[in-house]
Amino acid sequence: MRVLLLLLALLATPATAGPWPRAKGDVYALLSHQGGREGWTGAYFEWGGARNLTFGLDLGGHVVGLPRLMRTGYSDIAVDGRVRSFLRVPVPLPEGAHVPNWFDPWLAAVELSLGRDYLEDSTQADRVGVGLTIGRGFDGPMGEGWITLDLHGSTTREDRTREQAGFVVGIKPRENLAVELAAFGEREDDTHYQYGPTIQYGFGAFGEGRLGVARASDGGTRWTLGWSRTF
């Protein structure tokens, strides 16, 4: 797993997916890197299964710079990271249920996850979690848009709880251009958050390039470079 995280450093804002199920057989991949040479590198995958189920893998970590690893013969692999596999299940409304007008366009899904934390002191901790994601699409004067809210909580055997929340508003003014404004927060030992815009530009069959900038709770500014594609 550490070697895999190292290879992904060639390319993170946390991935927020929304409640829409992935089409059966479709695979979505997102690779991203946020910060400098020792920033956060991430990879996110979704696969559409039967019955509107979506399976996924979300991993990332801090990886030392490649030049330093080359000098040490790839023996000095200092990395801390996270791995999470998940299953997303749509939440259908009961037959004949009364839905308020304000909620009618919204969709919801529940997410169950299993993962592992890789810590800087070389220890590991298994983690189990549950999440809720809601979202809706809309038509605006600049094109199609969407809103998503993701809430996730997880814990380990040592009762180390982690709470996460993500909010995204996006709009697609052109077929190959999308703009998002996102905010993400996490609380474990401390509380961290960041917010900012991301631009995604499509290159046809080659996928989409992503460029983002975020303001973080520590006062720093972090750039994100990413690539995504649906297979």
Side-chain angles (χ1 to χ4, degrees), residues 38 63 76 108 110 137 147 171 182 205 220 223:
E38 300 198 22
V63 187
D76 184 15
V110 172
I147 300 174
I171 195 165
W223 291 87

Side-chain angles (χ1 to χ4, degrees), residues 90-100 103-104 106-108:
V91 179
L93 293 173
E95 184 98 11
H98 175 70
V99 181
F103 192 80
D104 186 44
W106 292 84
L107 298 175

Side-chain angles (χ1 to χ4, degrees), residues 38-88:
E38 300 198 22
W40 184 269
T41 300
Y44 179 87
F45 303 94
E46 285 185 355
W47 174 74
R51 303 179 182 273
N52 286 330
L53 299 178
T54 300
F55 301 86
L57 179 66
D58 186 6
L59 55 89
H62 291 102
V63 187
V64 300
L66 288 177
R68 174 180 161 192
L69 289 177
M70 293 175 65
R71 290 195 301 269
T72 59
Y74 297 93
S75 60
D76 184 15
I77 304 179
V79 58
D80 68 290
R82 305 172 183 176
V83 179
R84 182 176 67 95
S85 60
F86 62 86
L87 169 64
R88 187 177 303 122

Side-chain angles (χ1 to χ4, degrees), residues 22-26 47-51:
R22 187 68 53 184
K24 184 178 180 180
D26 279 1
W47 174 74
R51 303 179 182 273

Side-chain angles (χ1 to χ4, degrees), residues 97-184:
H98 175 70
V99 181
N101 291 334
W102 63 268
F103 192 80
D104 186 44
W106 292 84
L107 298 175
V110 172
E111 188 177 284
L112 306 174
S113 64
L114 293 173
R116 177 171 294 179
D117 292 350
Y118 295 85
L119 308 179
E120 291 181 331
D121 60 3
S122 298
T123 61
Q124 303 175 14
D126 293 330
R127 185 172 289 275
V128 59
V130 63
L132 172 68
T133 175
I134 62 174
R136 60 164 293 184
F138 62 87
D139 292 321
M142 297 184 63
E144 297 179 351
W146 60 93
I147 300 174
T148 63
L149 173 64
D150 294 295
L151 303 173
H152 190 268
S154 62
T155 187
T156 67
R157 293 180 180 178
E158 296 77 19
D159 292 328
R160 292 184 60 87
T161 60
R162 179 182 297 152
E163 300 165 351
Q164 296 170 305
F167 179 73
V168 178
V169 178
I171 195 165
K172 199 171 185 178
R174 298 198 333 230
E175 182 61 30
N176 64 339
L177 179 65
V179 180
E180 293 180 346
L181 181 62
F184 177 84

